[in-house]
Coordinates of all heavy atoms in Angstrom, one line a residue:
R255 N 292.5 -25.6 162.7 CA 292.3 -26.7 161.7 C 291.0 -26.5 160.9 O 291.0 -26.9 159.7 CB 292.2 -28.0 162.3 CG 291.2 -28.2 163.4 CD 291.4 -29.5 164.2 NE 290.4 -29.6 165.4 CZ 290.5 -29.0 166.5 NH1 291.5 -28.2 166.8 NH2 289.5 -29.3 167.5
N256 N 290.0 -25.8 161.4 CA 288.8 -25.6 160.7 C 288.9 -24.6 159.6 O 288.2 -24.8 158.5 CB 287.6 -25.0 161.7 CG 287.2 -26.1 162.7 OD1 287.3 -27.4 162.4 ND2 286.7 -25.6 163.8
R257 N 289.9 -23.8 159.7 CA 290.1 -22.9 158.6 C 290.6 -23.6 157.3 O 290.2 -23.3 156.2 CB 291.2 -21.8 158.9 CG 290.6 -20.8 160.0 CD 289.5 -19.9 159.4 NE 289.9 -19.1 158.3 CZ 289.3 -18.9 157.2 NH1 288.1 -19.6 156.9 NH2 289.7 -18.1 156.2
Y258 N 291.5 -24.6 157.5 CA 292.0 -25.3 156.4 C 290.9 -26.3 155.8 O 290.9 -26.5 154.6 CB 293.2 -26.1 156.8 CG 294.2 -25.1 157.5 CD1 294.4 -25.0 158.8 CD2 295.0 -24.3 156.6 CE1 295.3 -24.1 159.4 CE2 295.9 -23.4 157.1 CZ 296.1 -23.2 158.5 OH 296.9 -22.4 159.1
A259 N 290.1 -26.9 156.7 CA 288.9 -27.7 156.3 C 287.9 -26.8 155.3 O 287.5 -27.3 154.3 CB 288.2 -28.3 157.4
D260 N 287.7 -25.6 155.7 CA 287.0 -24.7 155.1 C 287.5 -24.4 153.7 O 286.7 -24.3 152.7 CB 286.8 -23.3 155.7 CG 285.9 -23.4 157.1 OD1 285.1 -24.4 157.1 OD2 286.0 -22.5 157.9
F261 N 288.9 -24.3 153.5 CA 289.4 -24.1 152.2 C 289.3 -25.3 151.3 O 289.2 -25.2 150.1 CB 291.0 -23.7 152.4 CG 291.6 -23.1 151.1 CD1 291.3 -21.9 150.9 CD2 292.4 -23.9 150.4 CE1 291.9 -21.2 149.8 CE2 292.9 -23.3 149.2 CZ 292.7 -22.0 148.9
I262 N 289.3 -26.5 151.9 CA 288.9 -27.6 151.1 C 287.6 -27.6 150.5 O 287.3 -27.7 149.3 CB 289.1 -28.9 151.8 CG1 290.6 -29.1 152.4 CG2 288.6 -30.3 151.2 CD1 290.8 -30.3 153.4
S263 N 286.6 -27.3 151.4 CA 285.2 -27.0 151.0 C 285.1 -25.9 149.9 O 284.3 -26.1 149.0 CB 284.3 -26.7 152.2 OG 284.3 -27.8 153.1
F264 N 285.8 -24.9 150.1 CA 285.8 -23.8 149.2 C 286.1 -24.2 147.8 O 285.4 -24.0 146.8 CB 286.7 -22.8 149.7 CG 286.8 -21.5 148.8 CD1 286.0 -20.3 149.0 CD2 287.8 -21.5 147.8 CE1 286.2 -19.3 148.3 CE2 288.0 -20.3 147.0 CZ 287.3 -19.2 147.2
N265 N 287.2 -25.1 147.7 CA 287.7 -25.5 146.3 C 286.8 -26.6 145.8 O 286.6 -26.7 144.5 CB 289.2 -25.9 146.5 CG 290.2 -24.7 146.6 OD1 290.6 -24.3 145.5 ND2 290.4 -24.3 147.8
D266 N 286.3 -27.5 146.6 CA 285.3 -28.5 146.2 C 284.1 -27.7 145.6 O 283.6 -28.2 144.5 CB 284.8 -29.3 147.4 CG 285.9 -30.4 147.8 OD1 286.7 -30.6 146.9 OD2 285.9 -30.9 148.9
H267 N 283.7 -26.7 146.3 CA 282.5 -26.1 145.8 C 282.7 -25.5 144.3 O 281.8 -25.4 143.5 CB 282.0 -24.9 146.8 CG 280.7 -24.3 146.5 ND1 279.6 -25.0 146.4 CD2 280.4 -23.1 146.3 CE1 278.6 -24.2 146.1 NE2 279.0 -23.0 146.1
I268 N 284.0 -24.9 144.2 CA 284.3 -24.3 142.7 C 284.1 -25.3 141.8 O 283.5 -25.3 140.7 CB 285.6 -23.6 142.8 CG1 285.5 -22.4 143.8 CG2 286.0 -23.2 141.4 CD1 286.9 -21.6 143.9
S269 N 284.7 -26.6 142.1 CA 284.9 -27.6 141.0 C 283.5 -28.2 140.8 O 283.4 -28.8 139.7 CB 285.8 -28.8 141.5 OG 285.1 -29.5 142.6
Q270 N 282.6 -28.0 141.5 CA 281.2 -28.6 141.3 C 280.4 -27.7 140.4 O 279.3 -28.2 140.0 CB 280.5 -28.8 142.6 CG 281.0 -29.9 143.5 CD 280.6 -29.7 145.0 OE1 279.7 -28.9 145.2 NE2 281.1 -30.5 145.9
T271 N 280.9 -26.6 140.0 CA 280.2 -25.7 139.0 C 280.8 -26.1 137.6 O 281.9 -25.9 137.4 CB 280.4 -24.2 139.3 OG1 280.0 -23.9 140.6 CG2 279.7 -23.3 138.3
E272 N 279.8 -26.5 136.8 CA 280.2 -27.0 135.5 C 280.7 -25.7 134.6 O 280.2 -24.6 134.6 CB 279.1 -27.6 134.7 CG 278.7 -28.9 135.3 CD 277.6 -29.6 134.5 OE1 277.1 -29.1 133.5 OE2 277.1 -30.7 134.9
N273 N 281.6 -25.9 133.6 CA 282.0 -25.0 132.7 C 281.0 -25.0 131.5 O 280.4 -26.0 131.2 CB 283.4 -25.3 132.1 CG 284.5 -25.1 133.2 OD1 284.4 -24.2 134.0 ND2 285.5 -25.8 133.1
C274 N 280.7 -23.9 131.0 CA 279.8 -23.8 129.9 C 280.4 -24.5 128.7 O 281.7 -24.5 128.5 CB 279.5 -22.3 129.5 SG 278.6 -21.5 130.8
L275 N 279.7 -25.1 127.8 CA 280.2 -25.8 126.7 C 281.0 -24.8 125.8 O 280.5 -23.7 125.5 CB 279.1 -26.5 125.9 CG 278.4 -27.6 126.7 CD1 277.2 -28.1 125.8 CD2 279.3 -28.7 126.9
E276 N 282.0 -25.2 125.2 CA 283.0 -24.4 124.4 C 282.1 -23.9 123.1 O 281.4 -24.9 122.6 CB 284.2 -25.2 124.0 CG 285.2 -24.3 123.1 CD 286.5 -25.1 122.9 OE1 286.7 -26.2 123.4 OE2 287.3 -24.5 122.1
G277 N 282.1 -22.7 122.9 CA 281.5 -22.2 121.7 C 280.0 -21.8 122.1 O 279.3 -21.3 121.2

Side-chain angles (χ1 to χ4, degrees):
R255 58 193 179 278
N256 289 337
R257 290 294 297 135
Y258 306 103
D260 289 342
F261 196 75
I262 293 173
S263 299
F264 178 91
N265 284 274
D266 283 343
H267 189 55
I268 293 175
S269 70
Q270 292 164 8
T271 301
E272 294 184 1
N273 293 327
C274 297
L275 295 175
E276 186 173 349

